[in-house]
Amino acid sequence: MNRKLVSFDWAIKKLLRSKANFGILEGFLSELLFTDIEILEVLESEGNKDTENDKYNRVDLKVKDKNQKIIIIELQFSRQLDYMQRILYGTSKTVAEQLKEGEPYSGISKIISISILYFLYGEGSDYIYRGTTNFIGMHNHQELRLSEQQKDLY
C-alpha cells in the first residue's frame, strides 16, 4: 500500500499526544462514549516485556480520565486478520500492569479500547461498532449483575 510522507494516522497520533490538544481529544472521546471525558494524563504506551519471549504491548495512545478509567486508542493502517485477538492482548496486558503484588483486585480500573481502522474488518454495514462483555445465563437468559456488596466495592 502506497503511503504519503505524512500520513493521516501519523498526524493524528502526533496531534492527540500533545497536552495542548487535550481539548480536541476530550471532545472526540466525549462524543464517542456519550459521557464527559476529562483527560488527566497520557500514560506509557508500550508495555514492558516480562520475559524475552513476551510480546510488546504497543498502543498509540493510552490516557486516564477523571474517573480513573484507562482509554486505549489505536490507529491501525495495515490489515490484520487477527485484530480482535490483538485488542484482547492489549487490554489484558493493560489490566495486568495496573496492580502490584498484594493489592486488591478491586483496584483494577475499567479499560476502554477504541480502534480506528483503515481497512475493512469483518462484514457489516455500519462504520462504528461497540462491544461489551456481558454474562448471560444459559438456561434463563438473564444477565448476571453485581450484588449490592460488589457494587459498593466497585
Side-chain angles (χ1 to χ4, degrees):
M1 197 175 286
N2 191 9
R3 295 180 71 175
K4 297 185 183 327
L5 183 59
V6 175
S7 63
F8 176 76
D9 58 326
W10 179 87
I12 290 297
K13 290 175 197 178
K14 188 83 169 158
L15 174 75
L16 295 181
R17 283 191 180 113
S18 171
K19 190 168 180 112
N21 296 318
F22 274 11
I24 295 168
L25 179 58
E26 289 170 350
F28 168 71
L29 293 174
S30 295
E31 288 299 312
L32 189 65
L33 300 173
F34 302 109
T35 187
D36 289 336
I37 297 291
E38 178 186 345
I39 302 301
L40 295 182
E41 61 182 313
V42 175
L43 303 170
E44 178 61 44
S45 291
E46 186 171 297
N48 297 324
K49 290 175 67 165
D50 293 328
T51 67
E52 184 177 318
N53 295 327
D54 199 4
K55 291 179 77 69
Y56 276 111
N57 178 27
R58 290 192 178 110
V59 299
D60 295 323
L61 187 63
K62 187 175 0 177
V63 298
K64 186 180 285 186
D65 74 3
K66 65 181 178 182
N67 297 319
Q68 302 303 307
K69 290 180 188 169
I70 296 174
I71 303 170
I72 298 171
I73 302 170
E74 284 199 72
L75 286 90
Q76 179 73 13
F77 188 83
S78 301
R79 182 173 177 78
Q80 187 171 352
L81 291 175
D82 60 350
Y83 191 76
M84 288 294 179
Q85 286 80 2
R86 177 180 169 167
I87 293 171
L88 175 62
Y89 181 81
T91 54
S92 299
K93 194 86 157 152
T94 300
V95 167
E97 290 171 347
Q98 288 185 53
L99 294 181
K100 305 280 186 273
E101 188 172 343
E103 292 181 340
Y105 291 106
S106 61
I108 294 175
S109 69
K110 183 175 183 178
I111 308 290
I112 299 172
S113 178
I114 299 171
S115 298
I116 302 170
L117 307 178
Y118 293 98
F119 60 89
L120 294 176
Y121 187 77
E123 297 176 3
S125 60
D126 208 333
Y127 57 94
I128 297 177
Y129 291 89
R130 181 181 188 151
T132 60
T133 303
N134 295 320
F135 295 95
I136 307 296
M138 291 178 62
H139 302 290
N140 60 19
H141 306 289
Q142 289 182 339
E143 183 174 0
L144 180 67
R145 291 174 299 220
L146 295 177
S147 69
E148 290 303 317
Q149 290 175 318
Q150 289 170 317
K151 287 178 185 177
D152 290 341
L153 180 63
Y154 296 110

